[in-house]
């Protein structure tokens, strides 16, 4: 185990516990810029890390709060999992013909970070609007909480899943902040708790499939994964206890600005 990796995992876990977002969007750039990992290794390891850590969150949301809409998870997965598989297939073929995929992953990572920064900026607005339209959890689902008609809502949800599948597979960013904002837009009358739980539940199979795909391509570091988990688990636990004491109106803009700067740097590379 590497104590520096664990310390980084603790720091990112602390921020995730406080803000609720930022795992992949902070972890991957940290691994690339601070520790010098290749973007493909950083993305692949972070995806498996996310699949493991998010599983605990879904256990709480589904087991304790009953806040996962599995119907919406299925529609998102219908788009995300096939497109994650196709993205991995493209990456594998690019590697087979000796084409450098680092540039593509780096650029996609930058775009995903810019989108995440934008999502953090508008998230509070969508949350405020959703609070006005919120339905009771017992009746909030894909058929009556959506912005569009049920038919188009399902198509839009599958399409959203497809976009997330490509972005997350290439960058490990977007399963959290982008997924939450997309659901808040698509289902404005769904409770915030259910939006978070549903997005978290969808992120597990997506990050697992994408992570295992990167593992099969050799984009993985076992020591790094173990060290990150060792530090992040207590970090998330401590951060969650501080979340109510630190003003959100300060943290989210600061995090969004940081991601914006990092995203521009990746795109300009």
């Amino acid at each position: 185990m590497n104590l520096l990796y664990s310390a980084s995992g603790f720091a990112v876990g602390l921020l995730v516990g406080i803000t609720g977002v930022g795992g992949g969007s902070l972890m991957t750039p940290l691994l690339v810029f601070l520790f010098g990992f290749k973007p493909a290794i950083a993305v692949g390891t972070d995806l498996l890390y996310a699949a493991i850590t998010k599983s605990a969150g879904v256990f709480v949301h589904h087991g304790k709060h009953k806040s996962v809409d599995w119907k919406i998870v299925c529609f998102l997965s219908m788009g995300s999992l096939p497109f994650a598989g196709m993205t991995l297939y493209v990456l594998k073929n690019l590697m087979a013909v000796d084409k450098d995929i680092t540039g593509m992953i780096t650029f996609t990572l930058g775009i995903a970070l810019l989108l995440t920064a934008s999502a953090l900026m508008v998230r509070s607005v969508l949350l405020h609007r959703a609070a006005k339209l919120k339905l009771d959890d017992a009746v909030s689902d894909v058929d009556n909480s959506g912005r569009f008609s049920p038919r188009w809502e399902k198509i839009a949800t599958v399409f959203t899943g497809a976009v997330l599948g490509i972005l997350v597979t290439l960058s490990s960013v977007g399963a959290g902040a982008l997924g939450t904002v997309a659901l808040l837009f698509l289902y404005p009358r769904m409770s915030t708790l259910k939006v978070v739980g549903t997005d978290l539940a969808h992120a597990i199979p997506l990050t697992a499939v994408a992570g295992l795909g990167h593992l099969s391509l050799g984009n993985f570091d076992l020591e790094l994964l173990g060290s990150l988990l060792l530090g992040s688990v207590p970090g998330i636990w401590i951060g969650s206890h501080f979340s109510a004491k630190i003003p959100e109106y300060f943290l989210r803009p600061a995090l969004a600005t940081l991601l914006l700067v990092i995203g521009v740097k990746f795109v300009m590379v």
Side-chain angles (χ1 to χ4, degrees):
M1 296 295 174
N2 188 303
L3 292 180
L4 285 177
Y5 299 161
S6 296
S8 299
F10 177 82
V12 172
L14 193 67
L15 283 174
V16 171
I18 293 172
T19 65
V21 295
S25 52
L26 286 174
M27 186 68 77
T28 305
L30 189 68
L31 295 177
V32 174
F33 288 129
L34 183 61
F35 296 115
F37 283 95
K38 292 182 179 179
I41 298 292
V43 168
T45 304
D46 184 55
L47 283 167
L48 290 173
Y49 160 82
I52 295 171
T53 54
K54 290 177 185 293
S55 297
V58 167
F59 178 78
V60 173
H61 273 276
H62 179 61
K64 183 178 180 181
H65 302 305
K66 304 296 182 184
S67 57
V68 177
D69 192 317
W70 294 106
K71 188 183 292 186
I72 294 177
V73 171
C74 288
F75 283 118
L76 286 170
S77 298
M78 286 170 61
S80 65
L81 299 186
F83 273 84
M86 284 187 277
T87 303
L88 289 166
Y89 178 76
V90 171
L91 290 177
K92 182 177 181 180
N93 282 322
L94 287 176
M95 293 176 65
V97 295
D98 294 328
K99 287 190 177 180
D100 185 14
I101 63 172
T102 299
M104 180 176 63
I105 292 179
T106 301
F107 182 78
T108 306
L109 179 57
I111 295 298
L113 288 170
L114 294 176
L115 291 174
T116 301
S118 302
L120 288 176
M121 294 293 191
V122 303
R123 188 172 183 266
S124 58
V125 177
L126 292 176
L127 284 172
H128 180 69
R129 291 181 178 178
K132 293 182 178 180
L133 299 170
K134 185 176 67 175
L135 293 175
D136 183 79
D137 278 346
V139 296
S140 174
D141 60 28
V142 69
D143 292 321
N144 61 17
S145 63
R147 183 177 298 274
F148 310 112
S149 66
R151 179 187 176 186
W152 286 107
E153 200 67 54
K154 294 170 184 176
I155 294 174
T157 304
V158 174
F159 176 77
T160 298
V163 174
L164 288 173
I166 296 171
L167 278 177
V168 171
T169 303
L170 285 174
S171 68
S172 78
V173 177
L178 289 180
T180 301
V181 168
L183 288 177
L184 283 169
F185 176 79
L186 290 173
Y187 303 98
R189 291 183 293 274
M190 181 181 290
S191 70
T192 304
L193 184 63
K194 182 168 281 190
V195 166
V196 173
T198 301
D199 177 64
L200 201 58
H202 166 249
I204 292 177
L206 173 55
T207 53
V209 168
L212 290 173
H214 276 277
L215 175 62
S216 69
L217 297 176
N219 301 333
F220 174 73
D221 189 302
L222 181 60
E223 180 190 6
L224 175 61
L225 177 62
S227 300
L228 291 177
L229 289 172
L230 185 65
S232 65
V233 172
I236 292 174
W237 185 84
I238 294 173
S240 63
H241 285 75
F242 279 106
S243 60
K245 300 178 182 179
I246 301 178
E248 183 177 333
Y249 65 81
F250 168 77
L251 281 173
R252 289 196 183 278
L255 180 59
T257 303
L258 176 63
L259 296 181
L260 189 65
V261 172
I262 298 173
V264 170
K265 183 173 179 61
F266 269 112
V267 170
M268 297 299 291
V269 171

